[in-house]
Amino acid sequence: MTTARTATPSTARAINDRLALNLLLEQGPLTATELRDLTGLSRPTVADLLDRLQRTGLVALAGERGEQRRGPNARVYALVASRAHIAAFDVRSGGVSLVVADLAGRGLAAADVPVEGGGRPGTAAAITATLLETARGAGVERLHTVAVGAPGLVDPATGRLQSTGKLPAWHAELLAALRELPGTEVILENEVNLAGRAEYRVGAARDRDTFVLLWLGHSVGAAVILDGRLRRGFSGGSGEICFLPVPGTVGLPSADSCEGGFHGLVGSAAICALARAHGLPAGPAGDAPAAEAAVRAAVTAVAAVPAEAGEKGEEGEAGGAAGRFLDELAERIAIGAASVCVVLDPGCVVLGGEIGRAGGAELAGRVERRLSRLSPLSTEVRAGTAGGGAVLAGAVLTAGDAVRRDLFGEP
């Protein structure tokens, strides 16, 4: 026989406090009446928790609401966003982007630090110094939590970064330097996983508890969200689909190279080569910006073709080449997406990264149509909406979650 347990008064107070704090975080300043309506708590309980949270410095009186209303019912209470500060990093081989934010996730300052030639001695120290200078410039002396998004495998057990390619040495050195900051928690996460969190919380998959983010940039990766939880796999390698063996490549991938895998079909260099094969311009560098520009130009060219001309097959030379390029690119993307879908059946695939952003709804629609011919499972394909800063957005969300667990007492 199971006996129901009644929460102790202290546990009930903690639950009520978390509920009120999260409402103030999500909805902004609220009156006591609004808190009562949203929480269903009694007037004395709300008054008690507001008094308690003001004493802890997490909530403060923020004025009054209404021209004619005065007194306790008109008082507006707000989360004290300056109670703690966080930082977020998007670490790439060519440098880092960072942002400093408050408890509510509002960005206060940002910086970009380019790193040339694989870095040099002192690179990690210089980036750390830039972080501290950026924070001080925003009036922040201490960072509660720093979340770092980086390429590679993040071991769920140890939190260590393991490269699946050739990452520069300063990546590991930067993590070590950040972990030496006094009183600061450092969270390391795979960059694509952070982008997946951003799409789940504030992007294209806000209405989905299960989906896969397909990250299309310099290389390709995936973030797997199942039943509202990010799934990393045994060694942190869930989503390393750049190594996925697929038809159409010159060979097979190896343990230390993804050139023969899915990366060989939809990596930025492959996309640039595909554009040139269709007579479209593509930057010689073959990097993510060059591939993004090629895809964006193709989408623009297709959009410029009148609908009636497209229906008659009279797209014109530029529009026709652009359409054929996007069709073949969509076919390639669908091959990798189908392999993921028949295993996980996510019901939704989000195209992110520089290429997904550039392709938008035009590319997503073409991928969805081709995917429907490759897989018997109904799968919607959406363009990511978290934007080019999806990794940073996910890092801010991750750091903010950690702060709330600490300050709000969340489980």
Side-chain angles (χ1 to χ4, degrees):
M1 178 177 178
T2 302
T3 302
R5 294 183 179 181
T6 303
T8 65
S10 61
T11 300
R13 284 193 296 270
I15 293 172
N16 293 338
D17 289 354
R18 288 198 300 268
L19 180 59
L21 287 166
N22 280 320
L23 284 169
L24 292 170
L25 178 68
E26 294 165 3
Q27 302 200 22
L30 297 168
T31 64
T33 300
E34 289 167 335
L35 276 172
R36 290 199 300 271
D37 292 342
L38 290 168
T39 61
L41 299 174
S42 67
R43 183 187 297 268
T45 299
V46 170
D48 180 56
L49 73 83
L50 284 173
D51 180 63
R52 184 166 56 251
L53 292 175
Q54 287 181 89
R55 291 199 305 271
T56 65
L58 284 169
V59 169
L61 188 63
E64 293 185 341
R65 181 173 294 165
E67 290 293 330
Q68 305 301 321
R69 299 176 63 191
R70 292 292 181 267
N73 289 336
R75 293 172 186 166
V76 177
Y77 299 88
L79 181 73
V80 180
S82 59
R83 180 70 168 74
H85 294 93
I86 60 178
F89 273 85
D90 180 0
V91 179
R92 305 293 179 95
S93 59
V96 305
S97 297
L98 64 91
V99 63
V100 175
D102 62 18
L103 177 58
R106 291 189 292 264
L108 304 176
D112 292 301
V113 185
V115 176
E116 298 180 355
R120 62 189 66 177
T123 292
I127 294 173
T128 305
T130 298
L131 168 65
L132 297 177
E133 290 168 7
T134 302
R136 283 193 290 269
V140 176
E141 294 297 327
R142 177 181 175 272
L143 293 168
H144 182 287
T145 301
V146 176
V148 181
L153 307 183
V154 178
D155 190 313
T158 66
R160 293 195 180 115
L161 181 66
Q162 175 186 342
S163 172
T164 56
K166 295 180 180 178
L167 295 179
W170 63 265
H171 280 201
E173 294 166 0
L174 174 61
L175 290 169
L178 292 174
R179 285 167 174 156
E180 291 178 359
L181 294 176
T184 300
E185 178 185 2
V186 177
I187 301 172
L188 173 64
E189 183 61 270
N190 173 267
E191 56 178 349
V192 180
N193 284 344
L194 290 179
R197 281 183 170 170
E199 293 292 356
Y200 178 50
R201 298 269 288 274
V202 299
R206 281 174 291 178
D207 61 337
R208 292 277 187 170
D209 282 336
T210 295
F211 74 99
V212 169
L213 169 68
L214 203 61
W215 182 266
L216 304 166
H218 173 69
S219 187
V220 59
V224 178
I225 308 288
L226 302 179
D227 300 322
R229 294 184 60 188
L230 175 67
R231 307 293 178 164
R232 297 181 180 84
F234 174 74
S235 61
S238 178
E240 288 293 323
I241 60 171
C242 57
F243 288 90
L244 185 70
V246 292
T249 58
V250 295
L252 291 173
S254 65
D256 55 5
S257 175
C258 60
E259 289 301 324
F262 190 39
H263 167 87
L265 280 186
V266 295
S268 61
I271 291 175
C272 287
L274 180 63
R276 287 191 289 269
H278 283 277
L280 302 175
D287 55 9
E292 177 183 4
V295 172
R296 194 177 301 279
V299 170
T300 301
V302 168
V305 177
E308 58 272 16
E311 292 171 0
K312 296 177 181 178
E314 301 171 352
E315 294 177 322
E317 185 175 348
R324 290 189 293 273
F325 162 67
L326 291 175
D327 280 341
E328 188 169 348
L329 176 58
E331 192 78 43
R332 292 183 178 193
I333 295 171
I335 289 173
S339 299
V340 173
C341 291
V342 296
V343 174
L344 298 177
D345 187 18
C348 178
V349 170
V350 176
L351 304 183
E354 293 89 347
I355 310 309
R357 182 173 70 248
E362 179 68 35
L363 180 60
R366 293 174 188 242
V367 173
E368 181 174 315
R369 289 191 292 274
R370 280 147 184 82
L371 184 56
S372 68
R373 297 200 294 264
L374 292 173
S375 167
L377 307 176
S378 177
T379 306
E380 182 182 4
V381 180
R382 301 177 178 179
T385 59
V391 175
L392 275 179
V396 168
L397 290 168
T398 298
D401 289 346
V403 173
R404 286 195 295 278
R405 284 194 297 271
D406 183 23
L407 299 185
F408 296 8
E410 291 192 350

